[in-house]
């Protein structure tokens, strides 16, 4: 299994940064990430409770999975509300808490955000059939498609004889529907107009 991905799941590992119960950032991770309030950290968080270099999320030494390490922070690092002592392995959807911030760890599945500029969207790679393999259809698409109804050609049906005005001359093809011409609106003459 490759680093940061699971079979059948596309995209690298990523962190969801949650502050005050609101997701503020999604960040893909492919190498070690240092987290803290120092500006030299890979993931800078503006939280006075954090140490300058608070913790680090990095690939496991075995090359399979990720671990979080507390960097001797003042207030500690927690994984699923348990204090981290040494290196703590991370599993998909674990929540790392540092100060007032929660970092939800996803072992796979990062998708870049949808671009706001249409020009940027044109530069993105198109989805291919191979990218969509393994996806099940939504319930309203699961039913079979309705079959088209066959067109009945009345000109070739021997039981119905079209009248001469209903077909194009010599072809036997029915005329397309046309709306009759509009009748002109004629105002009746009033006594005032007639006397002039």
């Amino acid at each position: 299994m490759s680093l940061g991905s699971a079979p059948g799941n596309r995209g690298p590992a990523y962190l969801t940064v949650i502050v005050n119960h609101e997701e503020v950032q999604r960040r893909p991770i492919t190498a070690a990430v240092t987290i803290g309030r120092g500006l030299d950290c890979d993931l800078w968080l503006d939280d006075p409770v954090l140490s300058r270099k608070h913790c680090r999320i990095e690939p496991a030494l075995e090359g399979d999975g990720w671990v979080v390490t507390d960097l001797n922070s003042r207030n500690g690092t927690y994984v699923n509300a348990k204090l981290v002592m040494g290196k703590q392995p991370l599993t998909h959807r674990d929540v790392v808490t540092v100060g007032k911030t929660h970092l939800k760890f996803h072992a796979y599945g990062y998708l870049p955000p949808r671009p706001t500029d249409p020009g940027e969207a044109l530069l993105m790679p198109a989805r291919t059939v191979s990218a969509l393999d393994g996806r099940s259809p939504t319930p309203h698409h699961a039913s079979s498609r309705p079959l088209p109804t066959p067109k009945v050609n009345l000109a070739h049906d021997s039981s119905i004889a079209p009248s001469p005005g209903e077909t194009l001359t010599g072809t036997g093809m029915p005329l397309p529907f046309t709306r009759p011409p509009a009748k002109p609106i004629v105002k009746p003459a009033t006594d005032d107009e007639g006397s002039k």
Side-chain angles (χ1 to χ4, degrees), residues 8-90:
N9 297 293
R10 298 176 61 85
Y14 68 99
L15 295 174
T16 303
V17 181
I18 302 167
V19 178
N20 295 329
H21 306 289
E22 185 178 335
E23 180 181 319
V24 295
Q25 182 182 2
R26 282 187 182 202
R27 180 189 177 105
I29 52 174
T30 55
V33 177
T34 304
I35 301 159
R37 67 178 170 87
L39 294 176
D40 59 339
C41 290
D42 300 313
L43 180 57
W44 172 77
L45 298 172
D46 187 17
D47 187 347
V49 177
L50 296 183
S51 299
R52 290 186 192 280
K53 290 191 177 181
H54 197 91
C55 66
R56 180 173 41 248
I57 296 176
E58 59 191 341
L61 292 176
E62 297 81 26
D64 188 21
W66 294 81
V67 294
V68 62
T69 308
D70 185 73
L71 300 175
N72 297 321
S73 63
R74 267 184 306 174
N75 297 314
T77 302
Y78 297 83
V79 174
N80 300 329
K82 293 182 181 176
L83 184 64
V84 171
M85 304 297 278
K87 290 188 178 196
Q88 172 75 40
L90 292 174

Side-chain angles (χ1 to χ4, degrees), residues 76-160:
T77 302
Y78 297 83
V79 174
N80 300 329
K82 293 182 181 176
L83 184 64
V84 171
M85 304 297 278
K87 290 188 178 196
Q88 172 75 40
L90 292 174
T91 59
H92 187 58
R93 296 189 180 225
D94 275 349
V95 177
V96 178
T97 305
V98 290
K100 298 175 185 175
T101 305
H102 302 288
L103 306 169
K104 191 168 190 179
F105 172 77
H106 301 268
Y108 52 82
Y110 176 76
L111 294 173
R114 182 178 288 179
T116 55
D117 179 26
E120 291 177 21
L122 291 174
L123 299 175
M124 292 182 69
R127 289 189 173 185
T128 60
V129 175
S130 62
L132 301 176
D133 282 347
R135 294 177 71 186
S136 60
T138 54
H140 65 279
H141 289 126
S143 62
S144 62
R145 292 182 186 170
L147 296 174
T149 57
K151 293 182 180 180
V152 178
N153 190 353
L154 298 177
H156 298 296
D157 190 355
S158 61
S159 64
I160 301 173

